[in-house]
Amino acid sequence: MDGEKFTNETTRGKVVLLEFWTTWCSYCFVEAPFVDKINHEFGDKGLLVLTINVGESKKTVKNYLALHPRTTRMILTDDTNLAAMYEATEYPIYVVIDKAGNIAATQRGAAGEEALRSMLATAGIGPKNELDSK
């Protein structure tokens, strides 16, 4: 939304979390705080979080964000085929891409913070299990 461009080349070497969402998705609203928390926690440790609004106008998204601010980078699907590439037809959808550019994990629908952290661990972000974090 801020004019920043992301390509396979600009994201290579980072773990990327894609969150596909909409303003009308109640599950997206519930999960947004911990996605933002993970962004804050790992943003300087090689994680790039891109929250991708699917099919809504910039004005709609801006109005929503004025009421419900987010700390992640916002992407609109105008002029992209991202939603089609990842078959984003239900929300939220999470996709974790590893440093080599391969899909490491996907989650269709809300599953909570621990499930998201587990997905990120498959790509090397955060502890792999509870024992690793102790």
Side-chain angles (χ1 to χ4, degrees):
M1 282 187 51
D2 296 328
E4 195 173 359
K5 301 282 184 196
F6 298 96
T7 66
N8 290 338
E9 291 74 36
T10 63
T11 60
R12 191 159 315 278
K14 294 181 185 268
V15 172
V16 180
L17 170 62
L18 304 177
E19 175 197 13
F20 292 88
W21 70 286
T22 64
T23 60
W24 49 262
C25 168
S26 60
Y27 297 109
C28 301
F29 176 77
V30 169
E31 295 207 344
F34 67 74
V35 173
D36 287 355
K37 176 180 161 187
I38 287 169
N39 178 52
H40 178 74
E41 187 175 339
F42 297 110
D44 61 352
K45 295 179 175 89
L47 178 66
L48 175 62
V49 178
L50 301 176
T51 49
I52 303 160
N53 178 272
V54 179
E56 296 181 291
S57 72
K58 188 172 189 174
K59 180 180 179 184
T60 297
V61 175
K62 276 190 165 194
N63 288 342
Y64 179 86
L65 293 173
L67 297 173
H68 311 286
R70 299 286 309 266
T71 61
T72 56
R73 289 177 169 100
M74 287 290 152
I75 309 291
L76 299 175
T77 53
D78 299 346
D79 304 322
T80 74
N81 63 350
L82 278 173
M85 280 176 52
Y86 294 101
E87 299 175 354
T89 57
E90 57 195 77
Y91 308 101
I93 295 174
Y94 300 103
V95 178
V96 175
I97 301 169
D98 68 18
K99 291 178 182 181
N102 302 307
I103 295 175
T106 60
Q107 172 67 47
R108 297 182 83 75
E113 183 175 352
E114 289 310 309
L116 188 54
R117 286 180 179 277
S118 178
M119 288 175 55
L120 290 170
T122 66
I125 297 290
K128 292 198 184 338
N129 60 47
E130 284 299 312
L131 295 176
D132 290 345
S133 64
K134 297 189 190 269

